[in-house]
Amino acid sequence: MLNESVVALGKKRSTIRELFEFGNQRAAVVGRENILDFSLGNPNVPAPEAVKQAILETLDTEDPAVTHGYTSAQGADFVRETIAQDLNRRFGTQYGGRNLYMTVGAAAALSICFKALTASPDDEFLVLAPYFPEYLVFIGEGAGAKPVIVPARNEDFQIDFDALDQRINEHTKAVVVNSPNNPSGAVYSEDTVRRLAELLTQRSQQYGHPIYLISDEPYRELVYDADTVVPFLPKYYDNTLVCYSYSKSLSLPGERIGYVLVPDSVQDFADMYAAVCGAGRVLGYVNAPSLFQRVAAKCTGLTSDLSVYKKNRDLLYEALTSYGYQCVKPRGAFYIFPQTLGIDDYKFCEMAKKYDLLVVPGTDFGAPGYMRISYCVKTETVERALPIFEKLAKEVLG
Amino acid sequence: MLNESVVALGKKRSTIRELFEFGNQRAAVVGRENILDFSLGNPNVPAPEAVKQAILETLDTEDPAVTHGYTSAQGADFVRETIAQDLNRRFGTQYGGRNLYMTVGAAAALSICFKALTASPDDEFLVLAPYFPEYLVFIGEGAGAKPVIVPARNEDFQIDFDALDQRINEHTKAVVVNSPNNPSGAVYSEDTVRRLAELLTQRSQQYGHPIYLISDEPYRELVYDADTVVPFLPKYYDNTLVCYSYSKSLSLPGERIGYVLVPDSVQDFADMYAAVCGAGRVLGYVNAPSLFQRVAAKCTGLTSDLSVYKKNRDLLYEALTSYGYQCVKPRGAFYIFPQTLGIDDYKFCEMAKKYDLLVVPGTDFGAPGYMRISYCVKTETVERALPIFEKLAKEVLG
């Protein structure tokens, strides 16, 4: 009598959320400080002081009936205009408020794009492994379309173009990309992006309709090496929709604030923007949280102190490879994605749980034999975990 | 190529939102103070000072990585527990955090319930006129089920039970009620609630499955007369889901914070709660905004100063009836719903727009020949509008 698939999704939380809850329960028993929790992308670095100042300034200077009141469904005009100007400054674009639709975080932004683009249950969205597992839920149960998984190119987690091309057909509605990537930490090179744009342009022409690129980029600002540049996808491919969130850059994941960027270059711009608005309405979003719309505008261009993530990445990469873990060096986001020493990844993660060390099996991201380590934690937590990773390597490798 | 129905919903905003935008545009021309805007349920009364204090206290005492971090999908434990205790204090119930699922406002709560209950596209949700028009969008486009409208009992806006009973069949999944009511201001009497519970119990038995009651009650605290009591529906009918929002009681509509209450008495409680969690996940909600979860807990049991609404209601009701408008006296919410003097309601509302007086046609709420006046405005705005209502009455009635 109930929607059985959502009952099942409600009972079987994502493995990540399951580990998060397990961690909470164990913390109550052994103390939070004894849980080596690398399961969730919940930034440990606090929001910058500017976030607090933005809140205080708003509360002190604005009429609360305005601050906490409804905004236009697409977001307050000045908020969208401010964010557009920041994008223009950084990327040499010419956006205005007309191109932005404020959302309740990136999950909402993605859900809205999938809903906006789904015209038939036969529509397919291509998802590149390794991927954020909720994509499959939003596409399938959420929008009523079909997620199609493209296998990973494991040597560097760039795109396996043959595998991608094989899966493009007349039902392909969009390709979802996420660079810097959760869970691999890979950042697509400019060469990868150019090839992707070329392929999608060709196949759009061949099938007589646009194949959209949905760029999920909450980690846009999280890169750690001077030579790592994150190409801005709308500059390479016209039919790109960008889904952004301040969850990671400003350490505000619980506040649920982000946006969809619909560039003017998108085919039938007015219809596409309307579809985004309509999908937001249909899914019950009303408007993105109003106080944090203001915070996003006031803090635009800022980030939390990201230096700890670079330090954690370097520590983990050096140590894990020295213990014998096979690993692609992550270039961005705050995840590292090593292989589980040749054994089953669920088994490995269960072994780790015995030491209250929480890491997520790669199978959940479409990559069996790997594990995701979220290093958005205190460096001390990394340092305490390293001997356990070493011990696990010895247990497995003998 | 796009989802045409959501494109259409994005282009044709709700009439309410359309009037809101029209008001914004006119305000830019003639000044905000000259717009007599009764279109939107955006409380004019500011949030109580306790909201600001709750924010400041949280920012001053809590680790920002926690304050702004992810919470459990169903909401932070202490927040749900605190709200449950407040309900227990007020209604003599025995809820715990297990019964609550925090949401991104009431629209999310409703969307989640519709999605959770929809097992087939044949499923029907009965909506009692006059109704909040977005119900139809959330049920139809959102959940993929069928909204079925039950005509109003215009003499008092209680329930027309014959009309309701005629529309119950084996596909009926739930009845949606909203008391205090938007747009009529009616509050269901205890007699109405008892008869409703009896009817649904009988029909549930007849068809061999529960017919749920979805109680949308953002206006629960907004009643104005000593003899008006809002019956708490879970005490009358076991299979009740309550959708609540702090939008109106704490004047926080833009912040999007509310909850679904799943009482233990609901059939297959564990499955129903899981369905709510699963539906929230599927729709991309992740968690309700974290700072305002804390605000809701800290301010539980408080409301804004609601006295201005009573004053506005009394002013409007006395004046409008004296001008010749037919009107049921509203008992709650902040809406009054007079007839449009025997002429077409769209025509009447267009006549009013010429004076920058914004009211919403009743047709949008399933009640042609009426208009909704949202009186969550300054009393001065009411006072300035009265002569225009009088002038319109003279124009129409001659």
Side-chain angles (χ1 to χ4, degrees), chain A residues 335-355:
Chain A
Y335 307 104
I336 185 166
F337 202 57
Q339 293 184 33
T340 49
L341 303 163
I343 69 166
D344 177 85
D345 50 320
Y346 274 91
K347 187 175 169 194
F348 182 91
C349 294
E350 286 301 316
M351 287 171 67
K353 266 168 91 172
K354 290 186 186 144
Y355 299 97

Side-chain angles (χ1 to χ4, degrees), chain A residues 1-3 6-7 9-14 17 20-21 24 40-47 51-52 55-56 59-60 63-65 67-74 104 107-108 111 115-119 134 137-138 141-142 173 209-210 212 247-248 251-256 270-272 274-275 277-279 281-292, chain B residues 1-3 6-7 9-14 17 20-21 24 40-47 51-52 55-56 59-60 63-65 67-74 104 107-108 111 115-119 134 137-138 141-142 173 209-210 212 247-248 251-256 270-272 274-275 277-279 281-292:
Chain A
M1 272 304 296
L2 303 177
N3 182 329
V6 306
V7 172
L9 284 167
K11 285 193 169 169
K12 186 189 175 319
R13 281 187 286 241
S14 71
R17 281 265 165 188
F20 175 64
E21 302 295 344
N24 283 341
L40 203 65
N42 205 0
N44 154 265
V45 173
V51 163
K52 184 172 176 182
I55 295 171
L56 297 180
L59 295 181
D60 282 344
D63 177 356
T67 301
H68 305 305
Y70 291 117
T71 69
S72 293
Q74 63 272 37
V104 184
S111 297
K115 187 81 175 173
L117 291 175
T118 299
E134 297 298 278
V137 176
F138 301 155
E141 280 302 320
K173 216 51 189 282
H209 62 76
Y212 298 90
S247 292
K248 317 299 177 178
S251 299
L252 299 174
E255 304 299 356
R256 315 309 304 142
D271 276 12
M272 176 59 81
C277 294
R281 188 178 164 191
V282 158
L283 297 172
Y285 281 110
V286 185
N287 61 234
S290 49
L291 176 60
F292 279 87
Chain B
M1 274 304 295
L2 304 178
N3 182 328
V6 305
V7 172
L9 284 166
K11 286 194 168 170
K12 188 189 175 318
R13 281 186 286 240
S14 72
R17 281 266 165 186
F20 175 64
E21 302 295 344
N24 283 342
L40 204 64
N42 205 0
N44 155 264
V45 173
V51 163
K52 184 173 175 180
I55 295 171
L56 296 180
L59 295 181
D60 282 343
D63 176 357
T67 302
H68 305 305
Y70 291 116
T71 69
S72 293
Q74 63 273 36
V104 184
S111 296
K115 186 81 177 176
L117 291 175
T118 299
E134 297 299 278
V137 176
F138 301 155
E141 280 302 320
K173 216 51 189 281
H209 61 77
Y212 299 90
S247 292
K248 318 298 179 179
S251 298
L252 299 174
E255 304 300 354
R256 316 308 305 142
D271 275 11
M272 176 59 81
C277 294
R281 186 178 164 190
V282 158
L283 296 172
Y285 280 109
V286 184
N287 61 234
S290 50
L291 176 60
F292 279 87

Side-chain angles (χ1 to χ4, degrees), chain A residues 132-169:
Chain A
F132 177 56
E134 297 298 278
Y135 292 157
L136 310 189
V137 176
F138 301 155
I139 294 167
E141 280 302 320
K146 289 183 189 158
V148 175
I149 293 166
V150 180
R153 188 165 99 161
N154 286 342
E155 64 267 33
D156 59 2
F157 296 120
Q158 298 288 312
I159 295 174
D160 180 338
F161 281 100
D162 289 338
L164 173 61
D165 199 10
Q166 279 166 25
R167 284 162 182 80
I168 296 176
N169 61 44

Side-chain angles (χ1 to χ4, degrees), chain B residues 318-327 338-342 389 393 397:
Chain B
E318 293 303 323
L320 292 175
T321 50
S322 78
Y323 305 150
Y325 293 89
Q326 298 288 319
C327 191
Q339 294 184 31
T340 48
L341 303 163
F389 280 114
L397 301 175

